[in-house]
Amino acid sequence: MPATDPYLYRASSDVPYFSADGETYLARTPLRDLRKTRPLRVLSEEDFAFWQTYGYVVVREAVPASAARRLLDFAWDFQGLDPARPDTWYQHRTFRSDLDRDLYVYGFVEAYHHQLLWDSRQHQRVYDAFVDVWDCEELWVTLDRLNLNPPNVKNRDRALIAPTARGFDIELHWDVDTSLGVLPQRVQGIIALNDTDPDCGGFQCAPELFRRFERWRALQPADRDPLRPAFDRAEMPVVRPDLRAGDLLIWNGLLAHGVAANTSRDGVRAVQYLAMMPALEAHQRLRESRIDSWRHLRTPDWNATLLGDAARPESLRYGTAELNGLGARLLGLESWHGRQPLEAVGAGACAESA
């Protein structure tokens, strides 16, 4: 059961962010209009201006390239695939559901808590980049997975997924409902595990649409799709940022984005999904769920698309990841306001509304 409830909780920082689920937030000022109160740690002034104008930013060498490549090796090994033998990439398997099949086609790797994933999450430079975009130091890291997408052929062919006319589309979509009067704030990110190759597909986005979004939205019909954009791509091109192993790409949930298909002969696209959000320490149930997931290597419950590995769950493969001081706070194991245990922070706390 997702660790959410109908109440809004105020984030632990002095910045007034509110959320019910730790994914989307309400804020007095949209992130694209945020006025910095803290000095930039990782982003340059030009980077921050680009982020606010176009909805994404690339942080070069957010983690060492060698660390990214170790994660790539892990992604192969976790799935029992041999990077030197493409025939192993398309072995027959039975799917638990249509969603399970779709996630396989898209290349998702159902690993969430290996030490290597946590090493990226608690890396100082990665954290500092998210402090820059939120202007907030008290953050939680998302408990997310990897993606290893070989060429989209055979049983990984995207044609196996029935097309839909509206709603989510892997090729290009928004992460939030853009029909809302007050648009929620959301931030997502990926760390590249190998160098970008255009034929391998990967992250793509419409930065010019983000820049002109309010003007564009005002001219759209009332019944437009709030999750799937329809626009002139000659006027507002879709671009694929160049990424190298270890680079971090952060994007705003209001940036239309998606993942292009892998049309290469034998290349792969590989990333770790990693983002940070303002910590909701008063949200006791959510915090307990996060800690339990880390401690017992259970599949996180914050999103219905997180399924876990059907054959060999993580809890049967390796032990609980070790956290440094930063990692303990980013998980919620320790408070950002003193080294207090879970039971001492948020116990009896009441929800606040915006």
Side-chain angles (χ1 to χ4, degrees):
M1 180 176 66
T4 60
D5 60 35
Y7 298 102
L8 288 176
Y9 290 81
R10 177 164 179 163
S12 305
S13 72
D14 57 351
V15 183
Y17 292 117
F18 297 85
S19 178
D21 57 12
E23 286 190 73
T24 59
Y25 288 72
L26 295 180
R28 292 174 183 169
T29 305
L31 290 172
R32 66 183 308 160
D33 299 323
L34 184 72
R35 298 282 185 172
K36 289 288 294 179
T37 63
R38 293 169 171 79
L40 290 167
R41 301 179 174 198
V42 171
L43 303 186
S44 66
E45 294 288 349
E46 293 76 17
D47 289 335
F48 190 73
F50 188 93
W51 152 259
Q52 291 199 304
T53 303
Y54 296 108
Y56 76 95
V57 65
V58 175
V59 179
R60 300 297 181 189
E61 297 182 90
V63 301
S66 57
R69 295 189 178 101
R70 283 194 294 272
L71 259 173
L72 176 57
D73 291 341
F74 166 75
W76 288 113
D77 182 68
F78 184 86
Q79 300 177 101
L81 308 180
D82 185 339
R85 292 182 52 204
D87 59 295
T88 67
W89 307 349
Y90 305 96
Q91 293 175 346
H92 172 75
R93 56 175 290 178
T94 301
F95 298 108
R96 293 166 282 182
S97 63
D98 288 347
L99 174 61
D100 191 21
R101 178 207 59 207
D102 294 356
L103 295 174
Y104 171 79
V105 170
Y106 294 145
F108 286 99
V109 182
E110 293 295 324
Y112 299 87
H113 290 296
H114 190 273
Q115 184 68 56
L116 291 174
L117 279 86
W118 272 102
D119 288 346
S120 297
R121 292 167 183 162
Q122 58 192 353
H123 194 74
Q124 186 71 40
R125 182 168 169 80
V126 173
Y127 163 71
D128 286 344
F130 284 100
V131 172
D132 283 348
V133 301
W134 284 103
D135 198 39
C136 167
E137 297 178 358
E138 298 85 357
L139 301 174
W140 278 353
V141 67
T142 50
L143 308 182
D144 215 330
R145 56 197 157 184
L146 305 171
N147 184 276
L148 178 64
N149 189 35
N152 291 124
V153 297
K154 301 180 182 180
N155 66 350
R156 293 184 186 267
D157 191 336
R158 289 192 178 182
L160 296 170
I161 301 174
T164 56
R166 290 178 65 86
F168 173 82
D169 177 54
I170 190 69
E171 198 262 343
L172 211 64
H173 59 275
W174 287 293
D175 288 330
V176 299
D177 183 345
T178 61
S179 68
L180 297 174
V182 177
L183 294 172
Q185 304 303 299
R186 186 173 182 179
V187 169
Q188 289 189 256
I190 53 173
I191 292 178
L193 305 187
N194 57 358
D195 295 350
T196 297
D197 184 328
D199 290 343
C200 291
F203 183 89
Q204 59 185 12
C205 61
E208 191 62 26
L209 176 60
F210 179 87
R211 186 179 75 85
R212 305 190 210 175
F213 178 74
E214 289 300 341
R215 285 178 291 166
W216 174 86
R217 181 168 71 156
L219 298 175
Q220 301 309 300
D223 64 346
R224 73 174 178 87
D225 192 327
L227 297 179
R228 185 185 301 190
F231 60 96
D232 184 346
R233 298 192 183 188
E235 180 185 0
M236 295 182 283
V238 173
V239 303
R240 295 185 194 171
D242 176 63
L243 299 175
R244 297 186 291 272
D247 290 351
L248 166 67
L249 187 150
I250 304 174
W251 73 91
N252 190 309
L254 291 171
L255 173 69
H257 69 281
V259 181
N262 186 340
T263 60
S264 70
R265 186 176 67 86
D266 56 6
V268 298
R269 178 260 188 171
V271 301
Q272 177 182 3
Y273 289 95
L274 193 164
M276 295 183 189
M277 312 288 186
L280 302 178
E281 293 187 348
H283 197 329
Q284 184 83 354
R285 189 159 67 94
L286 177 57
R287 187 173 178 185
E288 288 176 343
S289 173
R290 290 169 55 83
I291 294 171
D292 179 76
S293 178
W294 158 76
R295 179 169 285 140
H296 301 291
L297 289 86
R298 296 193 174 111
T299 302
D301 61 6
W302 61 270
N303 189 297
T305 69
L306 311 182
L307 299 183
D309 189 80
R312 289 186 62 206
E314 289 182 87
S315 59
L316 300 180
R317 301 191 188 212
Y318 38 80
T320 301
E322 294 184 4
L323 306 181
N324 60 23
L326 175 59
R329 287 171 172 78
L330 289 171
L331 172 64
L333 183 66
E334 294 179 1
S335 170
W336 282 101
H337 304 284
R339 301 179 68 86
Q340 301 149 289
L342 166 66
E343 293 76 16
V345 177
C350 60
E352 293 187 60
S353 60

